Short mmCIF file of all heavy atoms in Angstrom, two decimals:
data_model
loop_
_atom_site.label_atom_id
_atom_site.label_comp_id
_atom_site.label_asym_id
_atom_site.label_seq_id
_atom_site.Cartn_x
_atom_site.Cartn_y
_atom_site.Cartn_z
N MET A 1 19.85 -12.27 5.08
CA MET A 1 18.77 -11.35 4.75
C MET A 1 19.30 -10.25 3.83
O MET A 1 20.38 -9.71 4.05
CB MET A 1 18.17 -10.73 6.00
CG MET A 1 17.54 -11.75 6.96
SD MET A 1 16.21 -12.73 6.20
CE MET A 1 15.03 -11.45 5.78
N ASN A 2 18.52 -9.95 2.83
CA ASN A 2 18.93 -8.97 1.83
C ASN A 2 17.81 -7.98 1.54
O ASN A 2 16.63 -8.29 1.69
CB ASN A 2 19.29 -9.66 0.50
CG ASN A 2 20.32 -10.74 0.67
OD1 ASN A 2 21.48 -10.47 0.99
ND2 ASN A 2 19.91 -11.99 0.44
N TRP A 3 18.22 -6.80 1.11
CA TRP A 3 17.30 -5.84 0.53
C TRP A 3 17.66 -5.65 -0.93
O TRP A 3 18.81 -5.35 -1.27
CB TRP A 3 17.35 -4.49 1.25
CG TRP A 3 16.70 -4.49 2.59
CD1 TRP A 3 17.31 -4.63 3.80
CD2 TRP A 3 15.30 -4.32 2.85
NE1 TRP A 3 16.38 -4.57 4.81
CE2 TRP A 3 15.14 -4.38 4.26
CE3 TRP A 3 14.18 -4.12 2.05
CZ2 TRP A 3 13.89 -4.25 4.88
CZ3 TRP A 3 12.94 -4.00 2.66
CH2 TRP A 3 12.81 -4.06 4.05
N TYR A 4 16.69 -5.84 -1.79
CA TYR A 4 16.81 -5.57 -3.21
C TYR A 4 15.91 -4.39 -3.55
O TYR A 4 15.01 -4.03 -2.80
CB TYR A 4 16.37 -6.77 -4.04
CG TYR A 4 17.31 -7.95 -4.07
CD1 TYR A 4 17.41 -8.82 -2.99
CD2 TYR A 4 18.09 -8.20 -5.20
CE1 TYR A 4 18.26 -9.91 -3.03
CE2 TYR A 4 18.94 -9.29 -5.25
CZ TYR A 4 19.02 -10.15 -4.16
OH TYR A 4 19.86 -11.24 -4.21
N ARG A 5 16.17 -3.81 -4.71
CA ARG A 5 15.26 -2.78 -5.20
C ARG A 5 15.14 -2.88 -6.71
O ARG A 5 16.03 -3.38 -7.39
CB ARG A 5 15.73 -1.38 -4.80
CG ARG A 5 17.00 -0.90 -5.46
CD ARG A 5 17.43 0.44 -4.89
NE ARG A 5 18.64 0.94 -5.52
CZ ARG A 5 19.33 1.99 -5.10
NH1 ARG A 5 18.92 2.66 -4.02
NH2 ARG A 5 20.43 2.37 -5.74
N GLN A 6 14.03 -2.41 -7.21
CA GLN A 6 13.79 -2.40 -8.64
C GLN A 6 13.08 -1.12 -9.03
O GLN A 6 11.98 -0.84 -8.56
CB GLN A 6 12.96 -3.61 -9.06
CG GLN A 6 12.82 -3.76 -10.57
CD GLN A 6 12.25 -5.10 -10.97
OE1 GLN A 6 11.51 -5.72 -10.22
NE2 GLN A 6 12.61 -5.56 -12.17
N ALA A 7 13.74 -0.36 -9.87
CA ALA A 7 13.17 0.86 -10.41
C ALA A 7 12.46 0.53 -11.72
O ALA A 7 12.80 -0.45 -12.38
CB ALA A 7 14.25 1.91 -10.63
N PRO A 8 11.49 1.34 -12.12
CA PRO A 8 10.78 1.09 -13.37
C PRO A 8 11.72 0.96 -14.55
O PRO A 8 12.60 1.81 -14.75
CB PRO A 8 9.87 2.31 -13.51
CG PRO A 8 9.64 2.76 -12.11
CD PRO A 8 10.95 2.52 -11.41
N GLY A 9 11.56 -0.11 -15.32
CA GLY A 9 12.37 -0.32 -16.50
C GLY A 9 13.77 -0.82 -16.25
O GLY A 9 14.56 -0.94 -17.19
N LYS A 10 14.10 -1.10 -15.00
CA LYS A 10 15.44 -1.55 -14.67
C LYS A 10 15.43 -2.92 -14.00
O LYS A 10 14.40 -3.37 -13.51
CB LYS A 10 16.14 -0.54 -13.75
CG LYS A 10 16.38 0.81 -14.39
CD LYS A 10 17.24 1.69 -13.52
CE LYS A 10 17.55 3.01 -14.21
NZ LYS A 10 18.41 3.88 -13.36
N GLU A 11 16.57 -3.58 -14.01
CA GLU A 11 16.71 -4.87 -13.37
C GLU A 11 16.70 -4.73 -11.86
O GLU A 11 17.11 -3.72 -11.30
CB GLU A 11 18.02 -5.54 -13.81
CG GLU A 11 18.09 -5.90 -15.28
CD GLU A 11 17.19 -7.06 -15.62
OE1 GLU A 11 17.14 -8.03 -14.84
OE2 GLU A 11 16.54 -7.01 -16.68
N ARG A 12 16.22 -5.76 -11.19
CA ARG A 12 16.29 -5.79 -9.75
C ARG A 12 17.75 -5.91 -9.32
O ARG A 12 18.51 -6.70 -9.88
CB ARG A 12 15.48 -6.98 -9.22
CG ARG A 12 15.35 -7.01 -7.71
CD ARG A 12 14.43 -8.13 -7.25
NE ARG A 12 13.07 -7.96 -7.77
CZ ARG A 12 12.05 -8.74 -7.46
NH1 ARG A 12 12.22 -9.76 -6.63
NH2 ARG A 12 10.86 -8.51 -7.99
N GLU A 13 18.14 -5.12 -8.33
CA GLU A 13 19.51 -5.13 -7.88
C GLU A 13 19.60 -5.32 -6.38
O GLU A 13 18.74 -4.86 -5.62
CB GLU A 13 20.24 -3.84 -8.28
CG GLU A 13 19.70 -2.58 -7.62
CD GLU A 13 20.48 -1.33 -7.99
OE1 GLU A 13 21.56 -1.44 -8.61
OE2 GLU A 13 20.02 -0.23 -7.66
N LEU A 14 20.65 -5.98 -5.96
CA LEU A 14 20.92 -6.16 -4.53
C LEU A 14 21.46 -4.87 -3.96
O LEU A 14 22.46 -4.34 -4.45
CB LEU A 14 21.92 -7.30 -4.32
CG LEU A 14 22.37 -7.57 -2.89
CD1 LEU A 14 21.20 -8.04 -2.03
CD2 LEU A 14 23.48 -8.63 -2.87
N VAL A 15 20.82 -4.36 -2.94
CA VAL A 15 21.22 -3.11 -2.31
C VAL A 15 22.11 -3.36 -1.11
O VAL A 15 23.15 -2.73 -0.94
CB VAL A 15 19.99 -2.29 -1.88
CG1 VAL A 15 20.41 -1.02 -1.16
CG2 VAL A 15 19.13 -1.96 -3.10
N ALA A 16 21.69 -4.27 -0.26
CA ALA A 16 22.42 -4.56 0.97
C ALA A 16 22.09 -5.96 1.43
O ALA A 16 21.01 -6.48 1.17
CB ALA A 16 22.06 -3.55 2.06
N GLY A 17 23.04 -6.57 2.11
CA GLY A 17 22.83 -7.89 2.67
C GLY A 17 23.50 -8.01 4.02
O GLY A 17 24.47 -7.32 4.31
N ILE A 18 22.96 -8.89 4.83
CA ILE A 18 23.54 -9.16 6.14
C ILE A 18 23.52 -10.66 6.36
O ILE A 18 22.49 -11.32 6.21
CB ILE A 18 22.82 -8.38 7.27
CG1 ILE A 18 23.51 -8.62 8.61
CG2 ILE A 18 21.33 -8.73 7.33
CD1 ILE A 18 23.08 -7.62 9.69
N SER A 19 24.66 -11.21 6.71
CA SER A 19 24.80 -12.64 6.87
C SER A 19 24.24 -13.09 8.21
O SER A 19 23.87 -12.29 9.06
CB SER A 19 26.27 -13.04 6.76
OG SER A 19 26.98 -12.67 7.93
N THR A 20 24.22 -14.40 8.39
CA THR A 20 23.75 -14.96 9.65
C THR A 20 24.66 -14.56 10.82
O THR A 20 24.22 -14.55 11.97
CB THR A 20 23.66 -16.48 9.58
OG1 THR A 20 24.93 -17.03 9.20
CG2 THR A 20 22.60 -16.90 8.56
N SER A 21 25.90 -14.22 10.52
CA SER A 21 26.85 -13.81 11.55
C SER A 21 26.93 -12.30 11.71
O SER A 21 27.71 -11.81 12.53
CB SER A 21 28.24 -14.37 11.27
OG SER A 21 28.74 -13.88 10.06
N GLY A 22 26.15 -11.56 10.93
CA GLY A 22 26.10 -10.12 11.08
C GLY A 22 26.99 -9.33 10.14
O GLY A 22 27.04 -8.10 10.23
N ARG A 23 27.70 -9.99 9.25
CA ARG A 23 28.51 -9.28 8.27
C ARG A 23 27.62 -8.63 7.24
O ARG A 23 26.65 -9.22 6.78
CB ARG A 23 29.51 -10.21 7.60
CG ARG A 23 30.61 -10.70 8.53
CD ARG A 23 31.61 -11.57 7.80
NE ARG A 23 32.76 -11.91 8.62
CZ ARG A 23 32.79 -12.91 9.48
NH1 ARG A 23 31.73 -13.70 9.63
NH2 ARG A 23 33.89 -13.15 10.20
N THR A 24 27.97 -7.41 6.85
CA THR A 24 27.14 -6.64 5.93
C THR A 24 27.87 -6.32 4.64
O THR A 24 29.09 -6.21 4.61
CB THR A 24 26.68 -5.33 6.58
OG1 THR A 24 27.82 -4.55 6.96
CG2 THR A 24 25.84 -5.61 7.82
N ASN A 25 27.10 -6.16 3.59
CA ASN A 25 27.60 -5.76 2.29
C ASN A 25 26.62 -4.79 1.66
O ASN A 25 25.41 -4.90 1.87
CB ASN A 25 27.80 -6.97 1.37
CG ASN A 25 28.86 -7.92 1.87
OD1 ASN A 25 28.57 -8.92 2.52
ND2 ASN A 25 30.12 -7.60 1.56
N TYR A 26 27.16 -3.86 0.87
CA TYR A 26 26.34 -2.84 0.24
C TYR A 26 26.77 -2.60 -1.18
O TYR A 26 27.95 -2.73 -1.52
CB TYR A 26 26.45 -1.50 0.98
CG TYR A 26 26.08 -1.56 2.44
CD1 TYR A 26 27.03 -1.85 3.41
CD2 TYR A 26 24.77 -1.32 2.84
CE1 TYR A 26 26.68 -1.90 4.75
CE2 TYR A 26 24.41 -1.37 4.17
CZ TYR A 26 25.37 -1.66 5.13
OH TYR A 26 25.02 -1.70 6.46
N ILE A 27 25.82 -2.22 -2.01
CA ILE A 27 26.16 -1.75 -3.33
C ILE A 27 26.87 -0.40 -3.16
O ILE A 27 26.57 0.36 -2.23
CB ILE A 27 24.90 -1.63 -4.21
CG1 ILE A 27 25.25 -1.41 -5.67
CG2 ILE A 27 23.98 -0.55 -3.70
CD1 ILE A 27 24.05 -1.54 -6.60
N VAL A 28 27.84 -0.14 -4.02
CA VAL A 28 28.67 1.05 -3.88
C VAL A 28 27.85 2.33 -3.76
O VAL A 28 28.18 3.22 -2.97
CB VAL A 28 29.67 1.15 -5.04
CG1 VAL A 28 30.38 2.50 -5.03
CG2 VAL A 28 30.68 0.02 -4.96
N SER A 29 26.79 2.43 -4.53
CA SER A 29 26.02 3.66 -4.58
C SER A 29 25.31 4.03 -3.27
O SER A 29 24.88 5.17 -3.10
CB SER A 29 24.99 3.61 -5.71
OG SER A 29 24.05 2.56 -5.50
N VAL A 30 25.19 3.08 -2.35
CA VAL A 30 24.52 3.37 -1.09
C VAL A 30 25.45 3.32 0.12
O VAL A 30 25.02 3.63 1.24
CB VAL A 30 23.31 2.44 -0.84
CG1 VAL A 30 22.39 2.42 -2.04
CG2 VAL A 30 23.76 1.02 -0.46
N LYS A 31 26.71 2.97 -0.09
CA LYS A 31 27.65 2.91 1.02
C LYS A 31 27.76 4.26 1.71
O LYS A 31 27.88 5.29 1.06
CB LYS A 31 29.03 2.46 0.55
CG LYS A 31 29.13 0.97 0.26
CD LYS A 31 30.55 0.58 -0.10
CE LYS A 31 30.67 -0.92 -0.34
NZ LYS A 31 32.05 -1.31 -0.73
N GLY A 32 27.71 4.25 3.02
CA GLY A 32 27.78 5.47 3.79
C GLY A 32 26.45 6.14 3.99
O GLY A 32 26.35 7.07 4.80
N ARG A 33 25.43 5.71 3.27
CA ARG A 33 24.10 6.29 3.40
C ARG A 33 23.08 5.31 3.98
O ARG A 33 22.19 5.72 4.72
CB ARG A 33 23.59 6.78 2.04
CG ARG A 33 24.46 7.85 1.40
CD ARG A 33 23.77 8.47 0.19
NE ARG A 33 23.56 7.49 -0.87
CZ ARG A 33 22.37 7.15 -1.37
NH1 ARG A 33 21.27 7.73 -0.90
NH2 ARG A 33 22.27 6.26 -2.34
N PHE A 34 23.22 4.03 3.63
CA PHE A 34 22.27 3.01 4.08
C PHE A 34 22.95 2.10 5.09
O PHE A 34 24.15 1.84 5.01
CB PHE A 34 21.79 2.15 2.91
CG PHE A 34 20.90 2.83 1.91
CD1 PHE A 34 20.71 4.21 1.91
CD2 PHE A 34 20.26 2.08 0.94
CE1 PHE A 34 19.89 4.82 0.98
CE2 PHE A 34 19.44 2.68 0.00
CZ PHE A 34 19.25 4.05 0.02
N THR A 35 22.16 1.59 6.01
CA THR A 35 22.65 0.62 6.98
C THR A 35 21.64 -0.50 7.13
O THR A 35 20.47 -0.27 7.42
CB THR A 35 22.87 1.27 8.36
OG1 THR A 35 23.81 2.34 8.25
CG2 THR A 35 23.42 0.24 9.34
N ILE A 36 22.11 -1.73 6.91
CA ILE A 36 21.26 -2.89 7.12
C ILE A 36 21.58 -3.48 8.48
O ILE A 36 22.73 -3.51 8.92
CB ILE A 36 21.45 -3.94 6.00
CG1 ILE A 36 20.43 -5.07 6.13
CG2 ILE A 36 22.88 -4.48 5.98
CD1 ILE A 36 20.42 -6.04 4.94
N SER A 37 20.55 -3.93 9.17
CA SER A 37 20.73 -4.57 10.46
C SER A 37 19.66 -5.63 10.64
O SER A 37 18.66 -5.65 9.93
CB SER A 37 20.68 -3.54 11.60
OG SER A 37 19.42 -2.89 11.63
N ARG A 38 19.89 -6.51 11.59
CA ARG A 38 18.89 -7.54 11.87
C ARG A 38 18.74 -7.73 13.36
O ARG A 38 19.69 -7.55 14.13
CB ARG A 38 19.27 -8.86 11.18
CG ARG A 38 20.52 -9.54 11.72
CD ARG A 38 20.95 -10.71 10.82
NE ARG A 38 19.96 -11.76 10.78
CZ ARG A 38 19.88 -12.69 9.84
NH1 ARG A 38 20.75 -12.68 8.82
NH2 ARG A 38 18.94 -13.63 9.89
N ASP A 39 17.55 -8.10 13.75
CA ASP A 39 17.24 -8.41 15.13
C ASP A 39 16.63 -9.79 15.13
O ASP A 39 15.45 -9.97 14.84
CB ASP A 39 16.28 -7.37 15.72
CG ASP A 39 16.05 -7.58 17.21
OD1 ASP A 39 16.27 -8.69 17.73
OD2 ASP A 39 15.64 -6.60 17.87
N ASN A 40 17.45 -10.79 15.43
CA ASN A 40 16.98 -12.17 15.36
C ASN A 40 15.89 -12.47 16.39
O ASN A 40 15.04 -13.32 16.16
CB ASN A 40 18.15 -13.14 15.55
CG ASN A 40 19.05 -13.19 14.34
OD1 ASN A 40 18.70 -12.72 13.25
ND2 ASN A 40 20.24 -13.76 14.51
N ALA A 41 15.92 -11.76 17.51
CA ALA A 41 14.89 -11.96 18.53
C ALA A 41 13.53 -11.51 18.04
O ALA A 41 12.50 -12.02 18.49
CB ALA A 41 15.26 -11.24 19.82
N LYS A 42 13.52 -10.55 17.12
CA LYS A 42 12.27 -10.03 16.57
C LYS A 42 11.98 -10.55 15.17
O LYS A 42 10.97 -10.17 14.57
CB LYS A 42 12.30 -8.51 16.55
CG LYS A 42 12.35 -7.87 17.92
CD LYS A 42 12.34 -6.35 17.82
CE LYS A 42 12.36 -5.71 19.19
NZ LYS A 42 12.36 -4.22 19.11
N ASN A 43 12.86 -11.39 14.65
CA ASN A 43 12.72 -11.91 13.28
C ASN A 43 12.51 -10.77 12.28
O ASN A 43 11.64 -10.85 11.41
CB ASN A 43 11.55 -12.90 13.19
CG ASN A 43 11.86 -14.25 13.82
OD1 ASN A 43 11.01 -15.14 13.83
ND2 ASN A 43 13.06 -14.43 14.35
#
């Protein structure tokens, strides 16, 4: 599962992702500020 974002006039960019095993990745500009999480029981 991933979160992307797109600002006006700019390319869509990957902001954060979380793997099926729970590993997370973030774009540098949001590290320390954003947190991605998933709840598989709630989809």
Side-chain angles (χ1 to χ4, degrees):
M1 299 301 298
N2 306 292
W3 286 98
Y4 286 77
R5 69 185 181 189
Q6 187 168 28
K10 295 188 176 181
E11 295 288 319
R12 187 174 299 184
E13 65 177 350
L14 177 65
V15 177
I18 184 165
S19 74
T20 56
S21 62
R23 291 183 173 84
T24 59
N25 295 97
Y26 302 90
I27 192 170
V28 170
S29 62
V30 309
K31 284 184 178 179
R33 300 190 296 120
F34 291 10
T35 301
I36 187 171
S37 61
R38 67 190 297 160
D39 186 338
N40 287 346
K42 295 181 178 179
N43 286 179

